[in-house]
Amino acid sequence: MKPETLAIHSGNLIKSATGDVTSPISLSTTFLRDEHGNYPGGHMYSRVSNPNRNALEKVLTELEKGQDACAFSSGNTAGMAVFQALKPGSHIIAPDDMYWGFKKQLQSIFADTLTFDFIDLTDTAQIEAYIKPNTVLIWAETPSNPLLKITDIAVLAEISTKHGLIFACDSTFASPSLQNPLLLGADLVMHSTTKYIGGHSDVLGGALITAKKDAFWEKIRNIQQIGGAVPSPFDCFLLLRSLKTLAYRMQGHSSNGLTLARFLEKHPNVEAVYYPGLSSHPDHKIASKQMSAFGGMLSILVKGGAEQARAMVNKVRLFAQATSLGGVESLIEHRASVEGPDTKTPQNLVRISAGLEHIDDLIADLEQALA
Ligand code: PLP
């Protein structure tokens, strides 16, 4: 079945006698054993598994063309499970433009146990020079947050395979609808399901999907079940509900994202636009090869500096000035002030999450805010 069909039907595990056409929310934290001590319903305790989480993991596995998935309580706990599964002393190659929360995790929580280099992964020729005897993981993020850098997934997969490394890709900005890193050779794909998969700014979650059920994956499953950073059955229900419209929402986000990028590229008060769908983007060709469309995320540099950028985000009327992304409502933020004083993000960078409002209303709002 095609992704649009899978997203609607694959997670609908209907067992009730009431004729429901969608899955009920299964709130029970514990499940009955039979006289032999077995669990005839297939579940023991809801931190380990429950019907709604299993359904979510099944759909995510199928949409990303993987072998298995683990759902977590946030994108941060999904990513952290990968770092936790590494042996102390391991070295990680990570992108210079990495979602700041993960960079912070590595620099604070894992500062004593892991080592890492943050490098420009778009320059694939230099990556091998950073591989050390204790390197075990290449972590990529494409498109990246907030500079919308594009990494060639197939090339990174080749390098990882050659050196026996695990290759994980944060594909949050693309969603499973626009890009499937496992099909291009990645070992793991990561999503903050809070973003496009949730799509309505009302549920926090994360997920990892694996290309193979190997020993490393078993460690991750163990961290999920024993660590317990799991989404509630209601969270899983919401995510499954949202997944049913993901393909259509991504068409709208991509169309609005591209039109806004083209409008902003011509605006006299905009110094630069970062959007992989523009032919002026340095890696537009790679993006076109590995993505089916370019999503709703873009960043701009406002002419004049930090003050002008802050003034612009304070002037919007329709866009909500808030962090996060991927919801139906358009968001805008002065990114450097969200990331804190040690950020390398340009002070005049404004990050935009194009929602699903009519494009004319979005353009009119940015027009008056930039005037
Ligand atoms: N990865 C990317 C690219 C993100 O943008 C985010 C959040 O902004 C995360 C991971 C972390 O996800 P969460 O906020 O669900 O923990």
Side-chain angles (χ1 to χ4, degrees), residues 74-76 99 102 141 145 170 172-173 190 192 194-195 204-205 325:
S74 70
N76 272 19
Y99 161 62
F102 285 146
E141 179 180 316
N145 182 1
D170 182 343
T172 298
F173 271 29
M190 182 260 145
S192 163
T194 315
K195 315 301 180 189
L204 196 71
L325 62 114

Side-chain angles (χ1 to χ4, degrees), residues 24 39 94 129 208 216 228 358:
Y39 296 93
L208 293 169
F216 190 70
H358 196 283

Side-chain angles (χ1 to χ4, degrees), residues 142-314:
T142 185
S144 72
N145 182 1
L147 290 176
L148 282 299
K149 285 188 172 189
I150 297 295
T151 305
D152 194 322
I153 298 172
V155 171
L156 259 72
E158 233 171 75
I159 296 172
S160 308
T161 306
K162 184 174 153 197
H163 294 273
L165 310 177
I166 300 160
F167 171 31
C169 182
D170 182 343
S171 194
T172 298
F173 271 29
S175 91
S177 243
L178 304 187
Q179 172 175 285
N180 297 122
L182 302 185
L183 291 181
L184 298 167
D187 299 302
L188 295 170
V189 58
M190 182 260 145
H191 288 284
S192 163
T193 55
T194 315
K195 315 301 180 189
Y196 284 116
I197 291 175
H200 297 75
S201 308
D202 55 8
V203 58
L204 196 71
L208 293 169
I209 303 100
T210 187
K212 40 189 185 304
K213 290 194 198 179
D214 55 8
F216 190 70
W217 181 250
E218 282 313 307
K219 273 183 140 180
I220 287 175
R221 178 64 82 189
N222 201 38
I223 288 166
Q224 180 209 35
Q225 294 177 330
I226 307 286
V230 290
S232 72
F234 183 57
D235 292 342
C236 297
F237 168 86
L238 282 178
L239 290 169
L240 277 162
R241 187 179 198 262
S242 295
L243 274 167
K244 295 179 187 190
T245 54
L246 178 69
Y248 301 97
R249 285 187 284 111
M250 291 317 292
Q251 287 174 17
H253 287 297
S254 299
S255 164
N256 280 354
L258 182 60
T259 312
L260 283 185
R262 286 183 176 148
F263 158 75
L264 291 163
E265 201 177 29
K266 290 199 200 96
H267 200 285
N269 291 339
V270 174
E271 196 179 291
V273 179
Y274 303 112
Y275 183 72
L278 291 176
S279 51
S280 59
H281 187 286
D283 288 316
H284 174 63
K285 273 207 182 114
I286 298 169
S288 306
K289 189 181 67 171
Q290 64 193 24
M291 301 178 79
S292 57
F294 306 102
M297 290 307 297
L298 59 149
S299 291
I300 60 170
L301 299 184
V302 178
K303 246 185 211 159
E307 215 173 293
Q308 276 72 13
R310 279 176 174 275
M312 183 220 167
V313 298
N314 284 333

